[in-house]
Structures are given as structure tokens and as C-alpha cells.
Amino acid sequence: MATEGNLQAPTRHPIDWKNPEFYNEDATLHEMGRIFDICHGCRRCVSLCGTFPTLFDLIDESKTGEVDGVDKKDYWKVVNQCYMCDLCYMTKCPYVPPHPWNVDFPHTMLRAKAIKFKKGGVGMGERFLASTDVHGQFAGIPIVVQLANAVNKTKPARAVMEKVLGVDKNAWLPELATRKFRSGALESPPHPVKDGAKTPGKVVIYATCYINYNEPGIGHDLLKVLDHNEVPYVLVEKEKCCGMPKLELGDLDSVDAAREANIPVLAKYARDGYAILSAVPSCTLMFKQEIPLMYPNDAEVQLVKEHMWDPFEYLMARKRDGLLKTEFSTPLGKISYQIPCHGRVQNIGKKTEEMLKMVPGTSVHTHERCSGHAGTFGVKVPYHQQAMKIGKPLFKAMASHKDGGLPDVVSSDCPLGGHHIAQGFEVNQLGAPPQQHPLTLIRRAYGLK
């Protein structure tokens, strides 16, 4: 007998991406039609993003008012709206496995995106945007960085980028760092390794492209927090992009290349007893979920999965082990904090919120709604305004702190999402509280310079 969904924890099936049938377009469109029909009868996900309103409008405006009235060519309009946040699967859908209807909307969209990519349906601009290791190469080069950052702020340059790369001229873009995180990171003091019941006593940092090339200060703040708590750390000897931007395009061969570069290196640290920390939720999720689902029988991939931690997941586990310092010298005031989608679906709970609430003189107002940025989705010409619309309810909610008035600071574990929120405040004239990453806030709370 079938039971109502979500009475059991969702389970994920491996992504059978090496099977030629995975790229069978007719079979994929048939599966999409099956899932779309179930979604049409439920509509629980209508408020999550633009994907489901697009689908339901197509159905409602068709001749039959059902899925069979929608031209299959229009299915791709739905696919293009999905930015792989995974929230429908992990937080909304009552029909995910182990329910017999076996609805996996995001990975069905991934299958469709992979077919689109194989057919050459992804343009040069999108491919370049997803090549974070390519444009990150210019970070840290004197004069080049300053010139690139200055040029990217000019209207003529942004107009060219809009035309050539499809980057909306009004979208916020990160600057290149004058010095890469990996080249500027201080060596860890020789703290003794103190393993806890739940946590390894030593850490290896997977820097991520964004921290390394764009906002190294977040990485330095993480190192300062670890040092303050007497946790010895090292940086991953060599790393490549995690592959998430390529996954979002359906470029699974590039994800495979990233896996070949990263997993052997990370697995060595895992075998040596390190906790692996990544300060960008999307990168952490890539190693915790997507790559393991693509390589379910790869022992090294599964080993890395077990040793990969969100920074606040690790720090709060250290607290449970009695190994975290909880004496904070600097209050943080009123914080409006957003849990990013790729943080929520890791099933780790509200660890960042828990730690921020430990700081005396601090009031945390937590929000669990998508900012709309979603990797490269929010900067592309067809989607930037939509991304701002998706995020608007969040922007407005974050602008009104539960203790009254504007917050003293807005924050998100996702650095890109945080800046998107700040832009949302500006565009909607909601005020201009500073935007700071939670690791920066905790470094401040400890009184560290």
C-alpha cells in the first residue's frame, strides 16, 4: 500500500550518467512528462523558484489544461529555469523516494541539462562563466587585477560583457583579489591535535574558487577562528574547481575531470585523519552529495564525503566535544541571517545560527528563503531580473529585524548570495546595512584582528 510521502527520510538514487540511456532524449522527455503530471496535481512547490510557475503556466494555458496539452519543445523552458538548488526534493516534495512515485525533479532536470549540453545547446558565454579556474587565473597579478576590476565597473565594459557573455549589465559581479587566498594564508601554529568524540582534531582547508580568487578575507577569517580554538590546519596541497558550475550546465565530463583532480588529493587527507572544510556551501554539497551520487562505487569519493564538513557544522561539533572556546568579547547586535539553499539541503541543521546565538549582545533573525542568486543564474541576462524578483520577499523580510528596524548587519553562508541580498536591499531601497560573512562575524565576536 502506498503511503503519504515524507513520512520517511528522502533517499537518493545514484546518477546513472555513464549509461548511454541517460542521454536518450525521448526517454528523458517521457520521464519529464510523468513527473510534470505529478507536480501539476500537487503544486506544493509553486513558490520556490521560477521553474514551477513556468511549468504550471504552460499546462494551464494548453488546450487540454493537462500535461498532454504541452508541446514537449516547451519542456526546455522548464529545464532552463531550474538552478539545481535541491529544495524541492529535500524540503517540499511528498513523492520523493522511497515513495513509489519516485519523483526526483532536480536530477531529472540534470539529465535534461546533460542532453542539452551534449547537443551543443550551451553557449560560449555560459561555458566561460562556469569556468571559474579560468578567469580566476588573473587574480593576484599586479596591475592586471586593478585594471580588470576597474574596467568591469565601467558601463561600456558591462555593455560588452552583456552582449558577448550574456552577463546582465546591472548584476553584481565579484572583484578579483589582489592576492589569492592560497598564496597569502598564514601557516598554522603548531597546536597539538586534540581529537574529539565527534570531530578530528586537525583540519585541511579546501579553499574553493571564490575564496581563493575573489574574497580571500573569508578564508583568512576561518583560519583565525581555527587558530583561536587551537585547531591545527593546512591547506589542500593542490585543488581544482569542485565542479558545481559545470554540473549546473549539465557538463558532466568537466565534473568528471574535476573529480579526477580533486578526489585523490582529498582522499589522502581523509585517510590521514583530517576534517576537510569548505567555506562555500555549494562546494561542500558537491563533495557531500552530487559527486558521491555520480560515483556510488568509488571508495575514495565516499571517503571524502564522510570527511567533508561545513565550517559551522565542524565548529558546533567541536563544542559538543567540549573543545570550542565560547568566550566572546564583542557583541554583534542585530543580525539578519539567511541560510542558503545549498546549506539547508546538507541536513546539518542550523549550525551557523547556533554559533551566532552564542555571542552575548547578539540577536539573530534567521531566514530560510532563497535569495534567487543561484550560482551563475542570477547574473545572466535572461534571469537577473527574475533572480531579483525571487529574492525580493527575502530582502524585505531581512530588512525588518524581529527586534525592530533595520538589522545592524546582513549575512549568509553563501558569499555570492550575500552580495545578491545586499544588491536587493539597494535596488528595493531597503537601507544599507553592511553585509558580512558569518565567519567574519565570529572572528569579530572573538575579538580577533
Side-chain angles (χ1 to χ4, degrees):
M1 177 182 292
T3 60
E4 177 64 25
N6 283 1
L7 295 179
Q8 296 172 270
T11 58
R12 301 308 292 248
H13 297 312
I15 302 170
D16 194 19
W17 70 283
K18 291 186 177 182
N19 186 340
E21 185 63 16
F22 185 83
Y23 301 93
N24 183 322
E25 186 170 349
D26 289 339
T28 302
L29 290 171
H30 179 78
E31 175 64 4
M32 288 166 67
R34 184 188 76 85
I35 288 178
F36 289 173
D37 191 48
I38 294 170
C39 294
H40 165 48
C42 175
R43 304 206 172 198
R44 186 173 174 178
C45 290
V46 67
S47 64
L48 283 181
C49 61
T51 310
F52 297 98
T54 298
L55 171 60
F56 302 146
D57 285 347
L58 287 170
I59 295 171
D60 294 342
E61 294 167 8
S62 72
K63 291 181 180 180
T64 65
E66 301 290 343
V67 174
D68 62 9
V70 179
D71 190 326
K72 286 185 169 56
K73 292 180 182 178
D74 287 335
Y75 283 12
W76 297 102
K77 295 178 181 178
V78 180
V79 175
N80 292 338
Q81 290 287 332
C82 178
Y83 41 75
M84 308 291 294
C85 73
D86 218 40
L87 281 187
C88 59
Y89 192 100
M90 295 302 294
T91 71
K92 288 286 186 179
C93 183
Y95 306 118
V96 297
H99 192 282
W101 287 358
N102 191 33
V103 172
D104 188 340
F105 195 96
H107 283 163
T108 304
M109 296 298 101
L110 175 63
R111 183 180 178 185
K113 287 173 184 285
I115 291 170
K116 178 182 176 180
F117 190 89
K118 287 276 190 184
K119 293 174 63 179
V122 177
M124 179 273 292
E126 287 186 281
R127 294 198 302 270
F128 179 76
L129 282 176
S131 301
T132 51
D133 279 328
V134 174
H135 36 86
Q137 291 177 4
F138 298 103
I141 303 176
I143 302 177
V144 173
V145 168
Q146 288 84 350
L147 180 62
N149 288 338
V151 168
N152 283 344
K153 292 179 181 179
T154 67
K155 290 184 178 180
R158 291 303 300 266
V160 171
M161 291 175 67
E162 183 170 279
K163 184 176 181 180
V164 176
L165 299 177
V167 176
D168 193 290
K169 62 185 178 182
N170 296 311
W172 175 87
L173 291 179
E175 294 186 347
L176 291 171
T178 56
R179 189 177 186 186
K180 296 177 184 177
F181 168 69
R182 288 177 61 84
S183 62
L186 296 177
E187 187 175 338
S188 175
H191 299 300
V193 176
K194 299 178 183 177
D195 292 327
K198 300 179 181 294
T199 54
K202 55 185 179 180
V203 160
V204 60
I205 306 296
Y206 176 82
T208 77
C209 299
Y210 185 81
I211 302 299
N212 193 31
Y213 302 136
N214 302 112
E215 206 164 346
I218 296 171
H220 295 308
D221 290 337
L222 173 57
L223 300 188
K224 290 173 183 178
V225 170
L226 291 171
D227 177 35
H228 182 71
N229 283 283
E230 299 177 2
V231 177
Y233 62 80
V234 296
L235 268 60
V236 170
E237 180 183 3
K238 184 179 180 181
E239 67 181 73
K240 188 178 175 68
C241 174
C242 68
M244 178 62 84
K246 300 294 188 180
L247 184 85
E248 292 170 349
L249 292 184
D251 183 3
L252 301 186
D253 288 333
S254 289
V255 175
D256 184 48
R259 189 267 313 174
E260 286 184 351
N262 286 319
I263 291 298
V265 178
L266 295 176
K268 179 179 180 299
Y269 289 106
R271 285 192 294 270
D272 289 343
Y274 284 88
I276 308 168
L277 268 60
S278 155
V280 176
S282 297
C283 305
T284 312
L285 182 68
M286 197 67 184
F287 291 106
K288 280 188 172 186
Q289 175 174 292
E290 303 299 344
I291 296 176
L293 288 173
M294 290 176 67
Y295 305 90
N297 299 316
D298 187 315
E300 288 200 330
V301 167
Q302 301 303 322
L303 180 65
V304 171
K305 171 187 174 180
E306 296 303 318
H307 285 76
M308 180 66 63
W309 297 73
D310 169 89
F312 285 94
E313 177 190 17
Y314 177 79
L315 292 170
M316 292 308 296
R318 292 295 278 180
K319 180 178 182 291
R320 292 195 293 275
D321 283 336
L323 295 169
L324 183 78
K325 295 181 179 180
T326 57
E327 298 78 23
F328 298 98
S329 62
T330 305
L332 299 173
K334 297 185 295 183
I335 301 173
S336 280
Y337 161 66
Q338 184 244 5
I339 305 177
C341 302
H342 282 173
R344 289 177 64 187
V345 299
Q346 289 181 40
N347 289 323
I348 60 175
K350 301 179 181 180
K351 302 308 178 190
T352 303
E353 176 194 72
E354 289 178 30
M355 189 159 188
L356 289 172
K357 284 184 173 180
M358 290 164 50
V359 181
T362 300
S363 177
V364 183
H365 191 181
T366 300
H367 302 268
E368 296 184 75
R369 187 158 188 156
C370 181
S371 73
H373 189 276
T376 60
F377 178 88
V379 304
K380 295 175 184 176
V381 172
Y383 309 118
H384 173 63
Q385 291 303 320
Q386 183 180 354
M388 297 302 291
K389 181 179 179 181
I390 291 170
K392 190 172 182 178
L394 173 70
F395 310 150
K396 293 177 69 176
M398 292 184 75
S400 180
H401 197 275
K402 64 180 182 179
D403 290 343
L406 277 172
D408 296 311
V409 64
V410 295
S411 188
S412 172
D413 296 284
C414 175
L416 289 167
H419 287 287
H420 185 71
I421 291 167
Q423 184 177 20
F425 268 63
E426 179 183 358
V427 168
N428 292 283
Q429 300 180 331
L430 298 172
Q435 184 273 135
Q436 293 186 327
H437 194 274
L439 288 169
T440 303
L441 295 176
I442 290 299
R443 188 263 301 161
R444 281 179 48 205
Y446 275 131
L448 307 173
K449 302 298 183 182

